[in-house]
Short mmCIF file of all heavy atoms in Angstrom, two decimals:
data_model
loop_
_atom_site.label_atom_id
_atom_site.label_comp_id
_atom_site.label_asym_id
_atom_site.label_seq_id
_atom_site.Cartn_x
_atom_site.Cartn_y
_atom_site.Cartn_z
N MET A 548 13.01 -2.50 20.95
CA MET A 548 13.17 -2.89 19.63
C MET A 548 11.97 -2.53 18.74
O MET A 548 10.83 -2.53 19.09
CB MET A 548 13.29 -4.42 19.62
CG MET A 548 13.60 -5.17 18.27
SD MET A 548 14.02 -6.81 18.58
CE MET A 548 13.26 -7.54 17.23
N ALA A 549 12.32 -2.03 17.56
CA ALA A 549 11.35 -1.57 16.61
C ALA A 549 10.49 -2.67 16.10
O ALA A 549 10.99 -3.91 15.88
CB ALA A 549 11.98 -0.84 15.42
N MET A 550 9.22 -2.51 15.74
CA MET A 550 8.34 -3.54 15.20
C MET A 550 8.33 -3.47 13.72
O MET A 550 8.55 -2.49 13.09
CB MET A 550 6.90 -3.18 15.67
CG MET A 550 6.83 -3.13 17.19
SD MET A 550 7.05 -4.74 17.98
CE MET A 550 5.64 -5.64 17.35
N PRO A 551 8.06 -4.55 13.06
CA PRO A 551 7.90 -4.62 11.53
C PRO A 551 6.98 -3.64 11.20
O PRO A 551 5.88 -3.38 11.84
CB PRO A 551 7.44 -5.99 11.30
CG PRO A 551 7.98 -6.94 12.45
CD PRO A 551 7.93 -5.96 13.67
N GLY A 552 7.35 -2.87 10.00
CA GLY A 552 6.29 -1.79 9.56
C GLY A 552 6.83 -0.48 10.10
O GLY A 552 6.27 0.58 9.55
N SER A 553 7.78 -0.42 11.04
CA SER A 553 8.28 0.91 11.52
C SER A 553 9.19 1.52 10.51
O SER A 553 9.91 0.82 9.76
CB SER A 553 9.09 0.59 12.83
OG SER A 553 8.41 0.04 13.82
N PRO A 554 9.18 2.82 10.46
CA PRO A 554 9.97 3.59 9.51
C PRO A 554 11.44 3.43 9.99
O PRO A 554 11.76 3.40 11.20
CB PRO A 554 9.57 5.01 9.60
CG PRO A 554 8.78 5.08 10.94
CD PRO A 554 8.24 3.78 11.18
N VAL A 555 12.34 3.36 9.02
CA VAL A 555 13.82 3.40 9.22
C VAL A 555 14.48 4.46 8.51
O VAL A 555 14.18 4.68 7.34
CB VAL A 555 14.39 2.00 8.71
CG1 VAL A 555 15.87 1.93 8.96
CG2 VAL A 555 13.69 0.77 9.38
N ASP A 556 15.34 5.13 9.40
CA ASP A 556 16.21 6.30 8.72
C ASP A 556 17.57 6.10 9.38
O ASP A 556 17.87 6.47 10.57
CB ASP A 556 15.64 7.58 9.11
CG ASP A 556 16.25 8.67 8.38
OD1 ASP A 556 17.41 8.54 7.91
OD2 ASP A 556 15.75 9.97 8.45
N GLU A 557 18.54 5.39 8.72
CA GLU A 557 19.71 5.06 9.17
C GLU A 557 20.83 5.43 8.34
O GLU A 557 20.75 5.52 7.09
CB GLU A 557 19.86 3.50 9.40
CG GLU A 557 18.96 2.94 10.36
CD GLU A 557 19.76 2.84 11.75
OE1 GLU A 557 20.95 3.06 11.86
OE2 GLU A 557 19.00 2.53 12.72
N THR A 558 22.16 5.63 8.99
CA THR A 558 23.33 5.78 8.18
C THR A 558 24.34 4.76 8.44
O THR A 558 24.31 4.11 9.48
CB THR A 558 23.98 7.15 8.48
OG1 THR A 558 24.30 7.15 9.85
CG2 THR A 558 23.13 8.34 8.05
N GLY A 559 25.24 4.48 7.42
CA GLY A 559 26.20 3.46 7.65
C GLY A 559 26.89 3.17 6.33
O GLY A 559 26.87 4.09 5.39
N THR A 560 27.74 2.16 6.12
CA THR A 560 28.42 1.80 4.98
C THR A 560 27.68 0.75 4.27
O THR A 560 27.26 -0.38 4.84
CB THR A 560 29.87 1.31 5.40
OG1 THR A 560 30.48 2.25 6.15
CG2 THR A 560 30.58 0.95 4.09
N LEU A 561 27.50 0.97 2.93
CA LEU A 561 26.73 0.00 2.12
C LEU A 561 27.73 -0.99 1.51
O LEU A 561 28.73 -0.60 0.97
CB LEU A 561 26.07 0.72 0.98
CG LEU A 561 25.34 -0.18 -0.05
CD1 LEU A 561 24.01 -0.90 0.65
CD2 LEU A 561 24.90 0.71 -1.26
N VAL A 562 27.47 -2.34 1.81
CA VAL A 562 28.53 -3.22 1.26
C VAL A 562 27.70 -4.46 0.61
O VAL A 562 26.52 -4.55 0.80
CB VAL A 562 29.34 -3.93 2.46
CG1 VAL A 562 30.28 -2.94 3.04
CG2 VAL A 562 28.47 -4.55 3.53
N ARG A 563 28.33 -5.11 -0.21
CA ARG A 563 27.69 -6.22 -0.95
C ARG A 563 28.35 -7.58 -0.47
O ARG A 563 29.64 -7.70 -0.43
CB ARG A 563 27.96 -6.22 -2.43
CG ARG A 563 27.26 -7.22 -3.11
CD ARG A 563 27.00 -6.79 -4.60
NE ARG A 563 26.16 -7.77 -5.15
CZ ARG A 563 25.29 -7.59 -6.29
NH1 ARG A 563 25.16 -6.44 -6.71
NH2 ARG A 563 24.65 -8.69 -6.68
N GLU A 564 27.54 -8.47 -0.03
CA GLU A 564 27.91 -9.78 0.48
C GLU A 564 27.25 -10.82 -0.26
O GLU A 564 26.06 -11.02 -0.10
CB GLU A 564 27.76 -9.83 1.99
CG GLU A 564 28.65 -9.03 2.78
CD GLU A 564 28.43 -9.23 4.30
OE1 GLU A 564 27.76 -10.13 4.73
OE2 GLU A 564 29.02 -8.37 5.03
N GLY A 565 27.92 -11.58 -1.14
CA GLY A 565 27.27 -12.48 -2.00
C GLY A 565 26.28 -11.78 -2.92
O GLY A 565 26.64 -10.84 -3.67
N GLY A 566 25.05 -12.26 -2.92
CA GLY A 566 24.03 -11.49 -3.75
C GLY A 566 23.23 -10.54 -2.92
O GLY A 566 22.29 -10.02 -3.51
N ALA A 567 23.62 -10.11 -1.71
CA ALA A 567 22.77 -9.34 -0.90
C ALA A 567 23.51 -8.04 -0.69
O ALA A 567 24.72 -7.87 -0.81
CB ALA A 567 22.53 -10.00 0.55
N PHE A 568 22.77 -6.92 -0.41
CA PHE A 568 23.33 -5.61 0.02
C PHE A 568 23.10 -5.50 1.50
O PHE A 568 21.95 -5.72 1.92
CB PHE A 568 22.63 -4.51 -0.74
CG PHE A 568 23.00 -4.42 -2.19
CD1 PHE A 568 22.25 -5.01 -3.17
CD2 PHE A 568 24.22 -3.76 -2.47
CE1 PHE A 568 22.74 -5.02 -4.42
CE2 PHE A 568 24.54 -3.75 -3.82
CZ PHE A 568 23.86 -4.30 -4.79
N ILE A 569 24.11 -5.17 2.24
CA ILE A 569 24.11 -5.00 3.69
C ILE A 569 24.47 -3.51 4.04
O ILE A 569 25.36 -2.95 3.48
CB ILE A 569 25.19 -5.97 4.24
CG1 ILE A 569 25.01 -7.38 3.79
CG2 ILE A 569 25.16 -5.87 5.83
CD1 ILE A 569 23.74 -8.01 4.18
N LEU A 570 23.73 -3.01 5.03
CA LEU A 570 24.14 -1.78 5.64
C LEU A 570 24.78 -2.06 6.89
O LEU A 570 24.19 -2.63 7.84
CB LEU A 570 22.96 -0.86 5.94
CG LEU A 570 23.26 0.49 6.49
CD1 LEU A 570 23.96 1.45 5.45
CD2 LEU A 570 22.04 1.15 7.13
N ARG A 571 26.04 -1.71 7.04
CA ARG A 571 26.83 -1.73 8.31
C ARG A 571 26.54 -0.45 9.09
O ARG A 571 27.07 0.60 8.72
CB ARG A 571 28.39 -1.91 8.11
CG ARG A 571 28.69 -3.23 7.53
CD ARG A 571 30.22 -3.37 7.51
NE ARG A 571 30.41 -4.73 6.93
CZ ARG A 571 31.50 -4.99 6.09
NH1 ARG A 571 32.41 -4.02 5.90
NH2 ARG A 571 31.66 -6.29 5.66
N ARG A 572 25.64 -0.47 9.94
CA ARG A 572 24.97 0.61 10.70
C ARG A 572 26.08 1.45 11.48
O ARG A 572 26.93 0.78 12.14
CB ARG A 572 23.90 0.25 11.60
CG ARG A 572 22.84 -0.52 10.78
CD ARG A 572 21.76 -1.29 11.69
NE ARG A 572 21.25 -0.31 12.60
CZ ARG A 572 20.52 -0.68 13.66
NH1 ARG A 572 20.48 -2.00 13.84
NH2 ARG A 572 20.01 0.19 14.35
N ASP A 573 26.04 2.73 11.48
CA ASP A 573 26.79 3.56 12.27
C ASP A 573 26.53 3.30 13.80
O ASP A 573 27.53 3.35 14.67
CB ASP A 573 26.53 5.02 12.04
CG ASP A 573 27.10 5.52 10.72
OD1 ASP A 573 28.01 4.84 10.01
OD2 ASP A 573 26.74 6.63 10.26
N ARG A 574 25.38 2.86 14.16
CA ARG A 574 25.01 2.59 15.51
C ARG A 574 25.36 1.18 15.90
O ARG A 574 25.21 0.85 17.12
CB ARG A 574 23.43 2.72 15.63
CG ARG A 574 22.92 4.05 15.41
CD ARG A 574 21.37 3.96 15.58
NE ARG A 574 20.73 5.21 15.24
CZ ARG A 574 19.45 5.48 15.34
NH1 ARG A 574 18.74 4.57 15.99
NH2 ARG A 574 18.99 6.55 14.92
N GLY A 575 25.90 0.43 15.12
CA GLY A 575 26.24 -1.03 15.33
C GLY A 575 25.34 -1.92 14.76
O GLY A 575 24.11 -1.60 14.65
N GLY A 576 25.74 -3.11 14.35
CA GLY A 576 24.90 -4.03 13.79
C GLY A 576 24.75 -3.89 12.35
O GLY A 576 25.38 -3.01 11.61
N THR A 577 23.88 -4.66 11.63
CA THR A 577 23.68 -4.71 10.23
C THR A 577 22.19 -4.79 9.86
O THR A 577 21.42 -5.33 10.70
CB THR A 577 24.42 -5.76 9.50
OG1 THR A 577 24.01 -6.99 9.99
CG2 THR A 577 25.97 -5.70 9.73
N PHE A 578 21.84 -4.35 8.67
CA PHE A 578 20.60 -4.62 8.02
C PHE A 578 20.73 -5.21 6.76
O PHE A 578 21.69 -4.83 5.97
CB PHE A 578 19.75 -3.34 7.86
CG PHE A 578 19.07 -2.80 9.04
CD1 PHE A 578 19.07 -1.45 9.27
CD2 PHE A 578 18.36 -3.51 9.90
CE1 PHE A 578 18.33 -0.82 10.33
CE2 PHE A 578 17.67 -2.97 11.03
CZ PHE A 578 17.64 -1.68 11.15
N VAL A 579 20.06 -6.25 6.36
CA VAL A 579 20.00 -6.73 5.02
C VAL A 579 18.89 -5.83 4.29
O VAL A 579 17.92 -5.63 4.81
CB VAL A 579 19.49 -8.26 4.93
CG1 VAL A 579 19.44 -8.64 3.51
CG2 VAL A 579 20.48 -9.07 5.72
N LEU A 580 19.29 -5.35 3.13
CA LEU A 580 18.45 -4.34 2.49
C LEU A 580 17.75 -4.99 1.18
O LEU A 580 18.34 -5.75 0.39
CB LEU A 580 19.31 -3.21 1.82
CG LEU A 580 20.13 -2.54 2.97
CD1 LEU A 580 21.00 -1.45 2.23
CD2 LEU A 580 19.25 -2.03 4.06
N GLU A 581 16.46 -4.80 1.19
CA GLU A 581 15.63 -5.07 -0.02
C GLU A 581 15.61 -3.87 -0.96
O GLU A 581 14.80 -2.94 -0.36
CB GLU A 581 14.18 -5.52 0.48
CG GLU A 581 14.17 -6.77 1.35
CD GLU A 581 14.44 -8.10 0.53
OE1 GLU A 581 14.13 -7.98 -0.62
OE2 GLU A 581 14.87 -9.01 1.20
N LEU A 582 16.23 -3.76 -1.96
CA LEU A 582 16.34 -2.71 -2.83
C LEU A 582 15.48 -2.81 -4.09
O LEU A 582 15.47 -3.89 -4.76
CB LEU A 582 17.75 -2.33 -3.15
CG LEU A 582 18.70 -2.17 -1.98
CD1 LEU A 582 20.18 -2.30 -2.38
CD2 LEU A 582 18.52 -0.74 -1.43
N GLN A 583 14.94 -1.67 -4.57
CA GLN A 583 14.15 -1.62 -5.77
C GLN A 583 15.25 -1.46 -6.94
O GLN A 583 15.01 -1.97 -7.96
CB GLN A 583 13.20 -0.42 -5.88
CG GLN A 583 12.25 -0.47 -4.80
CD GLN A 583 11.34 -1.72 -4.86
OE1 GLN A 583 10.95 -2.11 -6.07
NE2 GLN A 583 11.02 -2.34 -3.80
N ARG A 584 16.28 -0.70 -6.71
CA ARG A 584 17.34 -0.40 -7.74
C ARG A 584 18.70 -0.83 -7.09
O ARG A 584 18.89 -0.65 -5.85
CB ARG A 584 17.34 1.01 -8.11
CG ARG A 584 16.23 1.39 -8.99
CD ARG A 584 16.16 2.86 -9.31
NE ARG A 584 14.81 3.28 -8.99
CZ ARG A 584 14.44 4.25 -8.02
NH1 ARG A 584 15.36 4.81 -7.38
NH2 ARG A 584 13.20 4.43 -7.89
N VAL A 585 19.69 -1.18 -7.93
CA VAL A 585 21.01 -1.42 -7.44
C VAL A 585 21.78 -0.14 -7.34
O VAL A 585 22.08 0.53 -8.30
CB VAL A 585 21.70 -2.45 -8.38
CG1 VAL A 585 23.03 -2.75 -7.81
CG2 VAL A 585 20.97 -3.82 -8.44
N PRO A 586 22.21 0.22 -6.20
CA PRO A 586 22.99 1.51 -5.89
C PRO A 586 24.44 1.41 -6.16
O PRO A 586 25.26 1.57 -5.30
CB PRO A 586 22.57 1.82 -4.54
CG PRO A 586 22.54 0.49 -3.82
CD PRO A 586 21.87 -0.39 -4.84
N VAL A 587 24.86 1.09 -7.39
CA VAL A 587 26.25 0.78 -7.66
C VAL A 587 27.26 1.94 -7.27
O VAL A 587 28.36 1.72 -6.86
CB VAL A 587 26.44 0.31 -9.15
CG1 VAL A 587 25.90 -0.94 -9.46
CG2 VAL A 587 26.03 1.34 -10.10
N ASP A 588 26.64 3.16 -7.37
CA ASP A 588 27.48 4.38 -7.13
C ASP A 588 27.83 4.52 -5.59
O ASP A 588 28.66 5.16 -5.15
CB ASP A 588 26.98 5.71 -7.54
CG ASP A 588 26.89 5.65 -9.16
OD1 ASP A 588 27.54 4.93 -9.84
OD2 ASP A 588 26.07 6.44 -9.60
N HIS A 589 27.05 3.70 -4.79
CA HIS A 589 27.17 3.92 -3.31
C HIS A 589 27.77 2.65 -2.60
O HIS A 589 27.99 2.78 -1.39
CB HIS A 589 25.83 4.15 -2.77
CG HIS A 589 25.14 5.40 -3.20
ND1 HIS A 589 25.68 6.63 -3.05
CD2 HIS A 589 23.94 5.57 -3.87
CE1 HIS A 589 24.82 7.50 -3.53
NE2 HIS A 589 23.78 6.94 -4.04
N ILE A 590 28.20 1.71 -3.30
CA ILE A 590 28.84 0.43 -2.68
C ILE A 590 30.16 0.83 -2.05
O ILE A 590 30.87 1.50 -2.81
CB ILE A 590 28.93 -0.60 -3.78
CG1 ILE A 590 27.55 -1.09 -4.20
CG2 ILE A 590 29.70 -1.85 -3.18
CD1 ILE A 590 27.57 -2.08 -5.33
N ALA A 591 30.32 0.45 -0.84
CA ALA A 591 31.58 0.68 -0.06
C ALA A 591 31.74 2.03 0.34
O ALA A 591 32.81 2.56 0.59
CB ALA A 591 32.75 0.19 -0.83
N LYS A 592 30.62 2.81 0.31
CA LYS A 592 30.67 4.23 0.75
C LYS A 592 29.62 4.44 1.86
O LYS A 592 28.66 3.59 2.12
CB LYS A 592 30.20 5.13 -0.44
CG LYS A 592 31.20 5.08 -1.50
CD LYS A 592 30.89 5.96 -2.68
CE LYS A 592 31.84 5.93 -3.74
NZ LYS A 592 31.47 6.55 -4.89
N ARG A 593 29.73 5.47 2.49
CA ARG A 593 28.86 5.86 3.63
C ARG A 593 27.44 6.42 3.01
O ARG A 593 27.53 7.16 2.23
CB ARG A 593 29.41 6.93 4.53
CG ARG A 593 28.60 7.05 5.84
CD ARG A 593 29.54 7.77 6.86
NE ARG A 593 28.63 7.96 8.07
CZ ARG A 593 27.89 8.99 8.34
NH1 ARG A 593 27.85 9.92 7.40
NH2 ARG A 593 27.29 9.05 9.42
N VAL A 594 26.29 5.84 3.54
CA VAL A 594 25.04 6.25 2.89
C VAL A 594 23.97 6.48 3.96
O VAL A 594 24.31 6.07 5.22
CB VAL A 594 24.53 5.08 1.91
CG1 VAL A 594 25.51 4.96 0.74
CG2 VAL A 594 24.34 3.82 2.64
N ARG A 595 22.95 6.94 3.57
CA ARG A 595 21.72 7.06 4.44
C ARG A 595 20.65 6.32 3.73
O ARG A 595 20.43 6.51 2.55
CB ARG A 595 21.39 8.52 4.48
CG ARG A 595 20.06 8.74 5.43
CD ARG A 595 19.84 10.28 5.52
NE ARG A 595 18.67 10.45 6.49
CZ ARG A 595 18.11 11.61 6.60
NH1 ARG A 595 18.67 12.73 6.15
NH2 ARG A 595 17.24 11.81 7.57
N ILE A 596 20.00 5.44 4.36
CA ILE A 596 18.85 4.82 3.76
C ILE A 596 17.53 5.20 4.53
O ILE A 596 17.57 5.49 5.81
CB ILE A 596 18.98 3.20 3.90
CG1 ILE A 596 18.99 2.73 5.40
CG2 ILE A 596 20.18 2.76 3.23
CD1 ILE A 596 18.53 1.33 5.57
N ARG A 597 16.48 5.14 3.85
CA ARG A 597 15.13 5.29 4.40
C ARG A 597 14.27 4.16 3.78
O ARG A 597 14.29 3.81 2.69
CB ARG A 597 14.60 6.63 3.97
CG ARG A 597 15.28 7.79 4.59
CD ARG A 597 14.72 9.09 4.17
NE ARG A 597 15.41 10.17 4.84
CZ ARG A 597 15.35 11.37 4.46
NH1 ARG A 597 14.45 11.73 3.57
NH2 ARG A 597 16.04 12.36 5.11
N GLY A 598 13.41 3.68 4.70
CA GLY A 598 12.56 2.58 4.32
C GLY A 598 11.69 2.18 5.51
O GLY A 598 11.44 2.87 6.36
N VAL A 599 11.33 0.72 5.34
CA VAL A 599 10.39 0.20 6.34
C VAL A 599 10.97 -1.09 6.86
O VAL A 599 11.49 -1.92 6.07
CB VAL A 599 8.94 -0.04 5.73
CG1 VAL A 599 8.05 -0.70 6.69
CG2 VAL A 599 8.36 1.23 5.28
N LEU A 600 11.01 -1.33 8.11
CA LEU A 600 11.55 -2.51 8.72
C LEU A 600 10.56 -3.74 8.33
O LEU A 600 9.35 -3.65 8.60
CB LEU A 600 11.47 -2.32 10.28
CG LEU A 600 12.34 -3.32 11.06
CD1 LEU A 600 13.80 -3.18 10.72
CD2 LEU A 600 12.13 -2.99 12.58
N ILE A 601 11.19 -4.79 7.84
CA ILE A 601 10.41 -6.00 7.52
C ILE A 601 10.52 -6.91 8.76
O ILE A 601 9.44 -7.51 9.12
CB ILE A 601 11.00 -6.70 6.24
CG1 ILE A 601 10.95 -5.75 5.06
CG2 ILE A 601 10.40 -8.02 6.05
CD1 ILE A 601 11.60 -6.24 3.85
N ASP A 602 11.69 -7.16 9.32
CA ASP A 602 11.85 -7.82 10.58
C ASP A 602 13.11 -7.21 11.15
O ASP A 602 13.59 -6.20 10.74
CB ASP A 602 12.01 -9.35 10.33
CG ASP A 602 13.18 -9.68 9.41
OD1 ASP A 602 14.25 -9.15 9.54
OD2 ASP A 602 12.94 -10.75 8.67
N ALA A 603 13.63 -7.87 12.21
CA ALA A 603 14.69 -7.26 13.05
C ALA A 603 15.95 -6.98 12.27
O ALA A 603 16.74 -6.04 12.65
CB ALA A 603 14.99 -8.07 14.20
N ALA A 604 16.15 -7.71 11.16
CA ALA A 604 17.45 -7.65 10.47
C ALA A 604 17.24 -7.19 9.06
O ALA A 604 18.26 -7.12 8.19
CB ALA A 604 18.25 -8.97 10.46
N ARG A 605 16.03 -6.90 8.56
CA ARG A 605 15.81 -6.70 7.03
C ARG A 605 14.89 -5.42 6.93
O ARG A 605 13.87 -5.24 7.54
CB ARG A 605 15.08 -7.88 6.49
CG ARG A 605 14.98 -7.81 4.94
CD ARG A 605 14.36 -9.18 4.42
NE ARG A 605 15.27 -10.33 4.77
CZ ARG A 605 16.12 -10.73 3.99
NH1 ARG A 605 16.32 -10.08 2.86
NH2 ARG A 605 16.86 -11.82 4.36
N VAL A 606 15.35 -4.59 5.91
CA VAL A 606 14.61 -3.36 5.58
C VAL A 606 14.28 -3.20 4.11
O VAL A 606 15.11 -3.56 3.22
CB VAL A 606 15.52 -2.08 5.97
CG1 VAL A 606 14.85 -0.78 5.55
CG2 VAL A 606 15.91 -2.11 7.43
N SER A 607 13.12 -2.91 3.96
CA SER A 607 12.51 -2.59 2.52
C SER A 607 12.86 -1.07 2.32
O SER A 607 12.45 -0.30 2.87
CB SER A 607 11.13 -2.79 2.26
OG SER A 607 10.60 -2.41 1.13
N VAL A 608 13.88 -0.86 1.37
CA VAL A 608 14.45 0.46 1.22
C VAL A 608 13.69 1.28 0.11
O VAL A 608 13.43 0.73 -0.95
CB VAL A 608 15.95 0.35 0.86
CG1 VAL A 608 16.47 1.73 0.57
CG2 VAL A 608 16.65 -0.34 1.92
N ASP A 609 13.34 2.49 0.47
CA ASP A 609 12.65 3.35 -0.39
C ASP A 609 13.67 4.21 -1.11
O ASP A 609 13.50 4.68 -2.30
CB ASP A 609 11.73 4.31 0.31
CG ASP A 609 10.49 3.50 0.85
OD1 ASP A 609 10.07 2.51 0.26
OD2 ASP A 609 10.06 4.02 1.96
N GLY A 610 14.81 4.62 -0.34
CA GLY A 610 15.85 5.46 -1.05
C GLY A 610 17.22 5.36 -0.26
O GLY A 610 17.27 5.01 0.81
N VAL A 611 18.16 5.50 -1.26
CA VAL A 611 19.64 5.40 -0.75
C VAL A 611 20.22 6.76 -1.21
O VAL A 611 20.05 7.02 -2.31
CB VAL A 611 20.49 4.22 -1.39
CG1 VAL A 611 21.84 4.27 -0.99
CG2 VAL A 611 19.77 2.86 -0.87
N ALA A 612 21.03 7.37 -0.38
CA ALA A 612 21.63 8.60 -0.69
C ALA A 612 22.93 8.69 -0.03
O ALA A 612 23.26 8.06 1.01
CB ALA A 612 20.79 9.86 -0.41
N ALA A 613 23.90 9.39 -0.54
CA ALA A 613 25.25 9.61 0.14
C ALA A 613 24.99 10.32 1.39
O ALA A 613 24.15 11.18 1.50
CB ALA A 613 26.19 10.46 -0.79
N ALA A 614 25.75 9.98 2.40
CA ALA A 614 25.70 10.60 3.81
C ALA A 614 26.63 11.53 4.07
O ALA A 614 27.77 11.69 3.50
CB ALA A 614 25.67 9.52 4.87
#
């Protein structure tokens, strides 16, 4: 299991649940995303995120791009 502060580079589907953005990971499982900007063009699409792990289920995202 990765430790907080570890780099994250994952692909999956970006979804919105309530007020949160979630990455449904290609590898299985989910991450709750802490985003600087709202990626409206990428919602419900396959994306690649890069960022830093905050805890086991939360990522501080530096970038979101189409995968």
Side-chain angles (χ1 to χ4, degrees):
M548 184 165 142
M550 300 295 293
S553 298
V555 174
D556 187 345
E557 289 270 348
T558 57
T560 303
L561 180 67
V562 295
R563 186 158 186 152
E564 291 184 7
F568 288 96
I569 307 293
L570 180 72
R571 290 188 184 144
R572 300 166 58 197
D573 288 344
R574 297 181 190 188
T577 60
F578 280 137
V579 176
L580 306 179
E581 298 282 333
L582 298 161
Q583 300 298 320
R584 290 176 228 116
V585 178
V587 293
D588 294 342
H589 297 300
I590 296 173
K592 296 181 182 169
R593 192 162 178 274
V594 298
R595 178 180 187 181
I596 64 154
R597 292 183 180 166
V599 177
L600 195 63
I601 297 171
D602 61 35
R605 189 174 299 270
V606 175
S607 175
V608 178
D609 296 325
V611 177

